[in-house]
Amino acid sequence: ELAGWLAGEGLVTRFVAAVDAVANGESPRSELPELAPRARFEPEERGGRLFLGPRSQARYDLVTAVFESLDASACARVHRALGPLFAQAYAQIGRRRDDFDATLARAFRELLRAPVRDGDLELVAGIRSDRFADPALEALGPAQKSLLRMGPRNARRVQAKLRELAAALGLGATEGERSPSP
């Protein structure tokens, strides 16, 4: 699965743009469409209320498993080898506020601050998409809400791998991380 994702054209530029989007709280979906779930989102209805159900969460099992399978040390070696390409692509997309590693650390922090909660996440039907019923969750940025839509099990697995990758990359990305909510 990973090999197919890596075969896309302009991968370095799209990866850098996706990292920049997440660092700014936005969804990376338009930059990395191959990571989008193939199955349709299906909220679970119970007692006239909508919830983020197991089937919708399971749509992210594959991408989570692939992400979780990454070897952090190998990723750090590849990151160091491709550093100049990342920097060049980052400059080409017009981002000069930080260097790419600082932006990568901000992206990690953005996702690590997402308040992963156990239990049912209630949704409210919307015109274009369902929203979180909890105003605190709905007020989160698109990147964090995307992580929460993966479900607590997948979100925690992604956050654990992000911590591991941050340590291997020496990014110090866990500063200011929010503790998981009950």
Side-chain angles (χ1 to χ4, degrees), residues 19 36 42 44 47 50 68 91-92 119 156 170 180:
V19 167
E42 294 181 40
E44 186 176 287
L50 294 178
E68 194 175 43
Q92 286 175 345
R156 283 195 179 96

Side-chain angles (χ1 to χ4, degrees), residues 41-47 49-54 56 120-123:
F41 177 75
E42 294 181 40
E44 186 176 287
E45 187 175 340
R46 289 181 296 204
R49 295 166 55 197
L50 294 178
F51 296 92
L52 182 66
S56 288
D120 293 332
L121 291 178
E122 187 172 358
L123 304 171

Side-chain angles (χ1 to χ4, degrees), residues 71-82 169:
D71 179 286
S73 297
C75 287
R77 287 191 300 277
V78 168
H79 179 78
R80 282 190 293 278
L82 296 180
L169 294 166

Side-chain angles (χ1 to χ4, degrees), residues 135-158:
L137 296 181
E138 189 55 35
L140 297 172
Q144 290 182 345
K145 287 194 287 192
S146 292
L147 183 71
L148 296 182
R149 285 187 189 102
M150 298 176 86
R153 182 175 157 270
N154 285 333
R156 283 195 179 96
R157 290 168 60 197
V158 166

Side-chain angles (χ1 to χ4, degrees), residues 29-149:
R29 187 177 190 129
S30 64
E31 303 301 336
L32 299 172
E34 57 275 359
L35 299 184
R38 293 183 183 115
R40 219 171 62 93
F41 177 75
E42 294 181 40
E44 186 176 287
E45 187 175 340
R46 289 181 296 204
R49 295 166 55 197
L50 294 178
F51 296 92
L52 182 66
R55 281 195 310 218
S56 288
Q57 295 173 40
R59 301 176 320 140
Y60 295 97
D61 288 351
L62 177 62
V63 73
T64 299
V66 170
F67 185 65
E68 194 175 43
S69 75
L70 297 175
D71 179 286
S73 297
C75 287
R77 287 191 300 277
V78 168
H79 179 78
R80 282 190 293 278
L82 296 180
L85 287 175
F86 292 145
Q88 181 182 15
Y90 194 59
Q92 286 175 345
I93 64 169
R95 304 297 191 247
R96 301 194 193 282
R97 186 175 111 185
D98 291 324
D99 68 13
F100 179 68
D101 282 355
T103 301
L104 185 60
R106 282 191 306 118
F108 280 26
R109 281 193 300 272
E110 179 69 16
L111 295 176
L112 289 170
R113 282 193 301 261
V116 178
R117 297 179 178 174
D118 288 324
D120 293 332
L121 291 178
E122 187 172 358
L123 304 171
V124 175
I127 295 171
R128 295 182 72 203
S129 65
D130 296 330
R131 302 180 323 269
F132 289 110
D134 181 333
L137 296 181
E138 189 55 35
L140 297 172
Q144 290 182 345
K145 287 194 287 192
S146 292
L147 183 71
L148 296 182
R149 285 187 189 102

